[in-house]
Amino acid sequence: MNAPIDMSRFIEAKSDQLNADDLMGGPLTITVTRVAANDGDQPVNIFYEGDNGKPFRPCKTIRRVLVALWGADASRYVGRSMTLYRDAGVQFGGMQVGGTRISHMSHIDGEQTVVVMKTKGKKAPIKIKPLAMRQASPDRSPAAPPPAGNSDSTQHGDGAGASPNAGRAQAFADGVLAEIADAEDAEMLELALIFQKTANGLKRLKTEHLAIWQTVSDAVDARRAV
């Protein structure tokens, strides 16, 4: 009896990048090895393990998801993983042509929702589920809020009113300020601010480190006014 044949191997598109049609055989989980800039309409190359020289070139919608959940520093994507799938409902030029979307990502805390521009003047939420792989050592991004259960009111520093959390709070604030500075437009700014980690962290800053929160708040207001 002949061995079963995997037909998905024979429908891969012949191109220099991973295409949505390459995912007709099912979702693909990739682990990032390098991110590089690229000329043209698709400005980002995401190389991954076993890419065979065909990088993933995310569209603007997916780039916004990546920035919202992994941050603007693409060098930190290396070693992280995501699951790609073909969404047959993606439209281009009024036709459903299919497109590559993300269903799962590593290094996120629980299911996340990112609101992105779907069509001109219309936004829609994209839900991303956590991908449990390569996370033996929890990743802490600059925008991660200070750990819970370690507030100023229950801890004592070296001097009067000193807080062992102040350094972490400032590091978190610096991360948020960096995200604000990197936002390309007002929409990207708002996406960064509604990211669950950032929103929760800012609420905690306002409660426990009002002066640091005020600095971030002033920076946000100034950025919005630009």
Side-chain angles (χ1 to χ4, degrees), residues 117-123:
M117 190 70 71
K118 187 174 182 180
T119 58
K120 189 174 182 180
K122 184 178 180 180
K123 296 183 179 181

Side-chain angles (χ1 to χ4, degrees), residues 189-209:
L189 173 63
E190 298 307 321
L191 284 174
L193 293 174
I194 65 173
F195 176 38
Q196 186 175 10
K197 273 188 177 181
T198 303
N200 290 343
L202 288 174
K203 288 179 182 177
R204 184 159 184 179
L205 271 187
K206 189 174 183 179
T207 301
E208 300 179 6
H209 301 277

Side-chain angles (χ1 to χ4, degrees), residues 89-106:
V90 173
Q91 296 189 7
F92 182 77
M95 296 178 59
Q96 288 190 340
V97 296
T100 304
R101 293 291 183 260
I102 300 175
S103 62
H104 295 71
M105 292 172 65
S106 68

Side-chain angles (χ1 to χ4, degrees), residues 47-163:
F47 295 90
Y48 55 93
E49 294 178 1
D51 61 25
N52 295 318
K54 294 176 59 174
F56 170 43
R57 292 175 180 163
C59 65
K60 183 173 287 187
T61 295
I62 298 306
R63 296 198 298 270
R64 287 170 173 166
V65 171
L66 292 171
V67 170
L69 299 187
W70 280 354
D73 183 359
S75 67
R76 303 191 64 180
Y77 298 1
V78 176
R80 301 183 182 188
S81 303
M82 66 184 98
T83 299
L84 308 176
Y85 72 98
R86 184 180 186 276
D87 182 354
V90 173
Q91 296 189 7
F92 182 77
M95 296 178 59
Q96 288 190 340
V97 296
T100 304
R101 293 291 183 260
I102 300 175
S103 62
H104 295 71
M105 292 172 65
S106 68
H107 297 81
I108 61 174
D109 294 332
E111 183 176 294
Q112 303 288 329
T113 299
V114 181
V115 179
V116 297
M117 190 70 71
K118 187 174 182 180
T119 58
K120 189 174 182 180
K122 184 178 180 180
K123 296 183 179 181
I126 292 180
K127 291 185 177 181
I128 306 294
K129 295 182 179 180
L131 179 63
M133 62 186 301
R134 301 200 175 199
Q135 286 185 283
S137 300
D139 176 80
R140 297 192 65 80
S141 67
N150 203 21
S151 65
D152 298 352
S153 61
T154 58
Q155 299 295 324
H156 300 282
D158 296 330
S163 168

Side-chain angles (χ1 to χ4, degrees), residues 167-184:
R168 286 177 180 160
Q170 186 60 59
F172 163 67
D174 290 344
V176 175
L177 291 172
E179 294 287 343
I180 293 171
D182 287 342
E184 296 178 359

